[in-house]
Each structure stands twice: as C-alpha cells, then as structure tokens.
Amino acid sequence: MVLGGISLYGQENVNRKIEALMGKMTLEEKIGQLTLFTSGWDQTGPTLHDGYKEDVKSGRCGNLFNAHTAAYNRELQRIAIEETRLGIPLLFGYDVIHGYKTIFPIPLAEACSWDMALAEKSAHLAAKEAAAGGLHWTFNPMVDIARDPRWGRIAEGTGEDTWLGSQIAVAKVKGYQGNDLSDPTTLLACVKHFAAYGAPQAGRDYHTVDMSERVLREVYLPPYKAAIDAGVGTVMTSFNELDGVPATGNDFLMEQILRKEWGFEGFVVTDYTSINEMVPHGFSKDEKQAGEQALNAGVDMDMQGAVYQSHLAQLVKENKVKITDIDQAVFRILKMKYALGLFDDPYRYSNEEREKNTLFSKEMMDHAREAGRKSIVLLKNESIEGRPLLPLAKSIQKIALIGPLADNQEDLLGTWHAAGDASKVVTLKQALTDALPNATITYSQGCSTETDNRDGFGPAMDAAKAADVVIMAIGENYRQSGEAASRSELGLPGAQQALLEAIYQTGKPVIVVLMAGRPLTISWMHDHVPAIVNTWHLGTMAGPAIADVLTGAYNPSGKLVITFPRNVGQIPIYYNMKNTGRPFDAKNKYTSKYLDVDNTPLYPFGYGLSYTRFKYSNLKLSKSTIGFNEDLKVTITISNDGEYTGEETAQLYIRDLVGSVTRPVKELKAFQKVVLQPGESKTISFYLRSDDLRFYTRSMEYKAEAGDFKVFVGGDSADVLEADFELK
Ligand code: GLC
C-alpha cells in the first residue's frame, strides 16, 4: 500500500524505529495511542471529555480532534513532546468536510458538477488550508451511498450512484493526501462511515441498516474500496448495525472485508463514542465487553469513548484481548505519524506565517466561486413573453429579492462547515448588487426558515408588486440537514411555502433560488414557478456563484446525483431500480404503481438544464455482439441547438436484460463532458467491455454473464437514446 507516496510497510528503517519505540512503551502508553479525544473547542457528538490536556501529559491520550490553528496546536504538541515520558507527537484530526476556513459547496452539491478534477482540487485546497491551521488528518471523504433524502447526511455524500461515488472517492483521497503525507500542504484522509451508514431504515439517522450481502457488496461497499485502493490511510466505522452487528464490533467488515479481501494497511478509528453505543445497541452487556469486541473486531482507535483507556489493560490481564493486537494497532497509528513527518518535525504543521498567507487566499476564494458555479443545477427555465426568464434580461430594472436565505451568511455554508467563517460569506444580496449596479434591488426577508411567523409577508408582497421580477432565496438553513437532521416531510420548512404562494399571487414572474442540503419535495413549485435554480449550500462564495448563473456570466451545467421525489411517499426512489414482475402499465390495474402519484420522480438522476439546448443523435455501436474482454465502441453526436455556449455531461448507462439474479433497469457506467458553441456538433466515443458489466451473480461471484444488453446515452437517466448488443 502506497500512502501519500510513502509505502506504509516498505520502510524497514521506519519499522525498526517504531519497534524500538514500542519496546520502551508501557501498556498504558500504548493504549494512549489508541485513544482520541475532542478538545473543548468544538462539539460534534453527544459528550465532551474534560481533562484531555492531563491525558496528553500522562500519555493516556495520543490523538486529539476539534483542536486547530497553528498556535493552539503548537502548544498542545509542545506538551506532548516536552512534558510526556516518550515525547510521541500528537495526531490532530478535524472534520474538514468541504473546506476548513474557506468553505466550498457541500459534497452533494459539488458531486453535481460531475467534475473529478474540481473535486480533487477542492480537497487539495482544503488540505492546504487545514494543514496551515495545524491539522494533520481530516475525517473525510464521506462516501456513504444514499437513496433516501429524509436522511440529513445525504448532504455530506455523493448521492445515489455507486459508480459515480467511487470516482469521487478516488478524487478526494488524491486531493487530500497528494503524493507525500509529510508535505505540510496535505492531510491524512479518512474514508467513512464504514459501512452502509447511508441506508438507515426510514431515513432516520443512526437507525438500523439491514440488507443482503449482495446489495451491500454491489451498491454500498465499492466507494469505500475505491478510497482504499486510492491509498486512503484511515477508515472510520459507522454508528449503524449491519445484519444485527454494530459496525464498530463487526469483524466481517473490519477483518474479512477490509483487511483480508481489500488488504487495507492503515488504521481504523471509531465514530464518536460508537464503541460505547454497542451497549444500547444490545450487542454488549457493558462498555468493557464493548471494548473487547471492538478491539477483537479490528478497531484500532477509540474516538471519544474512553473505553480503551478505561478497560483495555484489564482485558489484557484477563486474556480477553491479546497484547499482540494492541501492538498491531499501535504500530499502524505510529506508522501514520511517521508518514506525516511528525517524528522528524512535530511542529511542521504549526507555521503561523504559512497559516496567515494561506487562509482565505485569492486561490481559495476563486476556487470556492468556481466550484459553486459548477454545482448549481438548473431545474426549470420557462419563457415569459417569448424569452426564457433566465439569464436575467439586461433590461430588468427593478428586482425584488425575497426570502430568508437572500441576505444570509452562515446558512449558505451548509452542514459540517468546520471552522468556516460566516462573516466571509458573500450573500446573494451582496453579489446581485455587485453584478447589477444599474438595477434597483429591493430586499425583503418575508419569513424565517423555521417559524410560521408571517408578519413579513406584507412587505415582501409589496416589494414583489413594485418589481419587474422576483428572485426568491428559500430552502433549508444549515441545521436542517447533516448529522442528526433527518426530516419526515421534505417541503420548504417554516412558512416559506406559504410565502412562495403569496408572492406567486402577485402575478410577477418568480425565479426560485433553492438552497438546501437535500432534494426537497417541490411539486407545487415545479407546477407554478417558471424558473427554479437548485443551488444547494455553496459555501463562502455562494452569492457570487449564484449571481454568475442568474446573470448568465456562467451557463449552468450541473446534473443531479440524487433523484428528486414527487413526494415523501415515493421514497426510496432512485434511477437504478429493479423492473419487478409487474412493471407499471397504464392499461393494466395490476401493475406496480401508486393510486395517488406517478411512479416517475419530479427530476431524475443525471438531470440538469442549460441556457442552451443539447440534442443527442446517431447513437451507434461498433458491433452488435462482443466477446468477453472485447471492446464495444459507442458513439453519439451531440449538438448545441441554442444561443449559448454550454457544457453538457453526456451519460452512458447499460441494462443487463437477464441475469442469474435480477438486474437494475439502468446502471451508470461512464460520462463525458463536452463544451459546444451555438450550432456546434461533436461526435464522442465511449468504450465498454465485459468488465464493465460485472455484478454479484447468484453464486456471489463478481463477473459478467453472457446475454442481451441495452446501452443508453443521454443528458440524464430518463431522456436517452438506446441500442442493443449481446455479450457472448
Ligand atoms: C460525528 C460524525 C463523524 C465525525 C465525527 C467527529 O458524530 O458521525 O462523521 O467525523 O463525529 O466529529
């Protein structure tokens, strides 16, 4: 395993140094290296642990999280180096999920760019800024596939597709870890939450996960494996149980899959007190047994639970855990500290000069704006008086800017915005004022994102009536998605829907800028509002990114990575579903459907409009039959039939019509981006081979089966051209 350019287990000289150090360590000092506590600077879970500094001094805690800035971490590191018996450097971790100080779009938003270089650059810049802030380790990428937008943490992931999620996982690991972990502009990464945390029953966070091994291996595991194959140095266990066994005590996951099948050589850290939580799970009779089960399942580091600290020594005495397993965990962790260069220079990440020059640099802010622009998905853009409502006409003089997210800073940072500085966020109001100096922009908040208070409706309606066009900035605040933020209804929170309908009644053309951490159920909005721009939560430069799209400075190119349901009753609804034995047929009552809503989503996976129009034609296959490991060339022509230059993401899906187990109606296998001038056409090629057609067969072998297939190519998962081929 090559981690950040350093082979973890290839450096014999490093191994000898570690073994020599371990030879001096007491059992308590070894257990200290397996212990991770939060500093008092931030709380990201149910408990706080005072006295962490004393634990550092005594060698009972070798790792901290939620501590940052060059100066603060330098002082903590000094304590570890100068005031402990062996001077083993501390490891500093933090949730750098989509930026450290400069905040980029939430991961679900950035995934809609379908731009791997962009995703990698966001991670690289986040690492550069965080490492300048004294940090060594980020608890990211989160690669949990999710098909249920009731689950608030869908905001942190890459949506519903396994193949796309795997591509993004690789980009993030490369971006964070670079080629050399000892480089003070890179971070040790942590793929999480292992495993299948994104499939909680009823979309309720921390709820039970139960699925077949086939679905686990085919849908949920691949992105974690992609991160490990990319060299990620650490893995975080998930809170959920899987098949009745909590992930944090699950040796099938931690030993069989992670170590034996995937050859992972880094270390495994628990999620926040997830060892302790095996007691309420009903898997451990007490925390001591939980500690025994976690260590024996292959979990190396205890985040915040103090279970290892409290019980491992006794468990060794009782021969319930082996000292060799503790030594192996210590070795893995010390190896990572060596890889980070901490034994060479423990203060290498605490350079206040570099910190001052890196945070909020132009490079960071420019990227935040670019990433924001590319994450925006145009959902609807109807014409008014013969002209599409967007981009805003130059002739517009009076704009009413209405809604609780129009002049808002912190909410635009989105969930998990770490040490993001809300005061640095450029609001939509500010950005539109800067972009449209000749327009009169009248702002009226109208209502909040939470209460049902409608006192602001009057002034908002007055502003709308006096304007040529209304821009409504509505959606969720940053607390309404993310961890412990599941929602059972997915409409606009608070009185926003009522405000939208009241503004609609004024008869003025309305453009909705929808800011949320998840797909919302917006059927009324879709039926009544002429233009809908889905911007998610875009971070520090949200305002300018949105203004660039509204003014036409940037032609939106985002494509959904998560299905928008018509209502909550349809959930789970995702593009790669099975066909069933009674696929919907409008002419036949006895087929799979609802009495009260269509089977189709409001907006499908892969969907996103442009200010121009892209047309697909001439889908051609090089052959109608291919053998195993033989290339099938797929070509298609895409033309720009509109008035704007635009970027299109052409998507290729397949369908295996008959298998030893049933197969989804579509599976994303490739995409290509093309930029076309108005009137320009391009013919692009994709290549498929039998390896792209593999799945877990009836006998659980991962392989392709001969038979008939379809290929689909289009601008989303629903509007496609198709062709047939056979694998022989
Ligand atoms: C939280 C989250 C996890 C995060 C950790 C540390 O509970 O589940 O994603 O990295 O605790 O903050």
Side-chain angles (χ1 to χ4, degrees):
M1 167 185 182
V2 177
L3 173 72
I6 290 187
S7 165
L8 266 188
Y9 293 87
Q11 291 189 322
E12 284 320 304
N13 60 325
V14 172
N15 296 349
R16 278 200 301 278
K17 286 178 185 171
I18 294 173
E19 281 148 15
L21 174 58
M22 287 177 65
K24 300 174 194 163
M25 293 169 76
T26 64
L27 177 58
E28 187 173 70
E29 286 165 336
K30 288 179 179 176
I31 294 168
Q33 290 302 309
L34 312 188
T35 297
L36 170 67
F37 283 138
T38 180
S39 83
W41 266 32
D42 207 342
Q43 181 167 355
T44 55
T47 62
L48 268 177
H49 174 91
D50 293 331
Y52 62 90
K53 282 185 186 171
E54 292 315 310
D55 286 317
V56 168
K57 276 182 188 166
S58 64
R60 286 159 46 83
C61 169
N63 314 281
L64 288 175
F65 65 117
N66 293 333
H68 54 91
T69 73
Y72 185 68
N73 287 9
R74 171 181 286 277
E75 171 51 18
L76 289 168
Q77 193 67 284
R78 186 200 62 74
I79 294 171
I81 299 301
E82 297 180 5
E83 301 185 22
T84 63
R85 194 173 75 86
L86 294 171
I88 298 172
L90 285 169
L91 181 65
F92 290 114
Y94 196 47
D95 290 287
V96 181
I97 308 300
H98 50 111
Y100 165 57
K101 285 279 191 181
T102 307
I103 301 302
F104 303 130
I106 58 170
L108 185 66
E110 188 184 72
C112 292
S113 71
W114 293 55
D115 185 333
M116 298 309 126
L118 185 89
E120 182 174 340
K121 184 170 181 181
S122 294
H124 165 66
L125 291 177
K128 186 174 178 181
E129 204 176 51
L135 291 162
H136 309 141
W137 180 30
T138 177
F139 305 131
N140 204 253
M142 183 274 216
V143 301
D144 304 318
I145 295 300
R147 294 166 159 174
D148 188 334
R150 292 173 294 181
W151 187 53
R153 301 197 76 166
I154 203 163
E156 295 173 56
T158 58
E160 67 192 53
D161 186 73
T162 302
W163 181 85
L164 187 63
S166 300
Q167 313 301 313
I168 296 171
V170 172
K172 289 298 179 186
V173 170
K174 287 162 67 176
Y176 284 128
Q177 296 188 165
N179 294 317
D180 177 3
L181 275 185
S182 66
D183 177 334
T185 66
T186 62
L187 284 181
L188 174 63
C190 180
V191 66
K192 69 186 187 184
H193 306 78
F194 193 59
Y197 178 41
Q201 287 177 356
R204 206 175 81 213
D205 205 359
Y206 315 125
H207 205 339
T208 303
V209 172
D210 210 347
M211 60 180 69
S212 67
E213 183 177 335
R214 175 174 286 106
V215 168
L216 174 70
R217 288 183 177 276
E218 199 149 280
V219 176
Y220 292 91
L221 290 186
Y224 305 111
K225 181 171 191 304
I228 282 152
D229 291 346
V232 73
T234 66
V235 171
M236 183 184 292
T237 68
S238 57
F239 290 120
N240 58 284
E241 68 168 67
L242 183 63
D243 191 19
V245 179
T248 304
N250 194 314
D251 56 328
F252 170 69
L253 288 176
M254 301 306 153
E255 290 298 334
Q256 174 58 31
I257 302 262
L258 201 52
R259 302 289 181 185
K260 292 197 178 84
E261 291 184 23
W262 294 355
F264 178 60
E265 293 172 335
F267 72 78
V268 174
V269 62
T270 72
D271 202 339
Y272 205 110
T273 63
S274 62
I275 297 179
N276 315 58
E277 291 163 20
M278 294 205 286
V279 176
H281 266 298
F283 185 71
S284 312
K285 69 176 186 302
D286 55 28
E287 292 190 351
K288 181 180 173 188
Q289 186 190 22
E292 173 189 348
Q293 290 162 317
L295 198 284
N296 290 335
V299 170
D300 301 305
M301 189 185 285
D302 171 5
M303 178 193 283
Q304 193 57 17
V307 173
Y308 282 4
Q309 187 188 65
S310 308
H311 299 291
L312 271 192
Q314 183 58 30
L315 287 164
V316 170
K317 289 197 181 85
E318 295 172 9
N319 291 317
K320 290 183 176 169
V321 300
K322 297 197 290 283
I323 184 64
T324 49
D325 287 343
I326 290 177
D327 285 347
Q328 179 173 259
V330 173
F331 182 89
R332 288 168 176 156
I333 291 161
L334 292 179
K335 188 80 179 195
M336 223 52 86
K337 293 184 177 182
Y338 263 97
L340 286 159
L342 293 174
F343 281 93
D344 297 337
D345 172 8
Y347 303 109
R348 132 187 342 230
Y349 295 83
S350 282
N351 176 319
E352 287 163 271
E353 186 62 23
R354 185 173 67 237
E355 182 180 45
K356 186 160 57 67
N357 296 332
T358 308
L359 270 49
F360 300 114
S361 66
K362 184 177 182 310
E363 177 187 34
M364 299 289 167
M365 304 299 260
D366 288 351
H367 180 74
R369 182 172 189 161
E370 179 66 2
R373 295 159 69 146
K374 293 190 164 186
S375 302
I376 291 171
V377 183
L378 179 62
L379 299 177
K380 190 177 176 187
N381 186 25
E382 273 181 350
S383 292
I384 304 271
E385 293 159 9
R387 183 194 180 280
L389 198 48
L390 288 172
L392 292 169
K394 302 272 187 260
S395 58
I396 286 179
Q397 290 300 309
K398 291 179 284 184
I399 296 173
L401 179 60
I402 294 169
L405 298 171
D407 190 28
N408 183 306
Q409 290 185 298
E410 183 157 35
D411 288 327
L412 273 57
L413 290 175
T415 185
W416 284 111
H417 55 261
D421 182 344
S423 70
K424 292 284 197 298
V425 173
V426 183
T427 67
L428 178 57
K429 176 168 174 279
Q430 183 58 57
L432 281 175
T433 304
D434 297 344
L436 302 170
N438 301 322
T440 303
I441 297 173
T442 306
Y443 163 65
S444 182
Q445 180 176 327
C447 68
S448 80
T449 53
E450 288 174 328
T451 70
D452 196 38
N453 182 314
R454 304 187 182 198
D455 297 348
F457 278 30
M461 291 174 74
D462 293 343
K465 287 170 188 163
D468 301 326
V469 70
V470 180
I471 297 175
M472 289 194 74
I474 49 181
E476 292 180 325
N477 66 44
Y478 82 88
R479 294 176 304 282
Q480 291 166 327
S481 65
E483 185 171 357
S486 293
R487 293 179 61 201
S488 67
E489 290 298 341
L490 298 180
L492 291 165
Q496 296 180 95
Q497 179 63 33
L499 177 66
L500 174 61
E501 293 180 24
I503 297 299
Y504 172 78
Q505 289 305 325
T506 67
K508 294 290 183 175
V510 175
I511 297 159
V512 167
V513 174
L514 187 61
M515 302 179 182
R518 57 159 56 86
L520 299 183
T521 46
I522 55 170
S523 293
W524 186 94
M525 186 189 295
H526 173 79
D527 292 341
H528 295 83
V529 171
I532 305 170
V533 185
N534 185 73
T535 73
W536 312 107
H537 289 135
L538 295 176
T540 306
M541 292 295 277
I546 298 167
D548 288 346
V549 165
L550 296 179
T551 60
Y554 183 78
N555 181 359
S557 57
K559 298 279 188 178
L560 293 177
V561 295
I562 186 74
T563 299
F564 268 60
R566 293 179 186 277
N567 63 27
V568 171
Q570 286 187 313
I571 295 172
I573 178 171
Y574 46 95
Y575 86 92
N576 46 352
M577 302 186 90
K578 299 297 189 67
N579 202 38
T580 79
R582 291 194 174 185
F584 174 64
D585 172 354
K587 298 186 292 301
N588 182 341
K589 166 184 168 64
Y590 298 99
T591 56
S592 184
K593 67 177 181 303
Y594 301 97
L595 294 180
D596 55 355
V597 71
D598 200 292
N599 282 4
T600 58
L602 188 62
Y603 304 111
F605 175 86
Y607 175 87
L609 300 177
S610 169
Y611 289 150
T612 195
R613 290 180 306 282
F614 295 107
K615 291 280 178 286
Y616 288 76
S617 60
N618 297 330
L619 174 61
K620 288 199 171 60
L621 306 186
S622 56
K623 295 179 178 170
S624 57
T625 302
I626 58 168
F628 281 77
N629 298 322
E630 191 181 348
D631 274 346
L632 176 70
K633 183 178 178 182
V634 180
T635 57
I636 193 153
T637 301
I638 306 172
S639 56
N640 178 343
D641 289 12
E643 294 79 43
Y644 293 88
T645 297
E647 178 186 273
E648 171 69 337
T649 300
Q651 302 149 45
L652 181 142
Y653 302 84
I654 62 113
R655 179 181 179 182
D656 185 348
L657 292 173
V658 178
S660 57
V661 292
T662 57
R663 305 299 304 136
V665 295
K666 283 197 180 81
E667 296 172 69
L668 178 68
K669 292 296 178 184
F671 68 87
Q672 270 186 56
K673 286 178 174 285
V674 288
V675 176
L676 296 173
Q677 308 292 329
E680 185 183 8
S681 290
K682 273 183 193 163
T683 296
I684 61 173
S685 303
F686 297 92
Y687 290 87
L688 276 175
R689 50 182 26 216
S690 52
D691 276 2
D692 298 313
L693 311 176
R694 287 176 292 176
F695 63 98
Y696 285 90
T697 64
R698 182 70 184 274
S699 56
M700 288 300 281
E701 294 172 271
Y702 188 61
K703 65 178 187 177
E705 291 177 344
D708 295 330
F709 290 79
K710 284 188 176 295
V711 174
F712 309 92
V713 181
D716 64 51
S717 58
D719 183 12
V720 292
L721 300 181
E722 65 177 75
D724 303 315
F725 73 94
E726 184 185 6
L727 173 64
K728 252 190 169 167

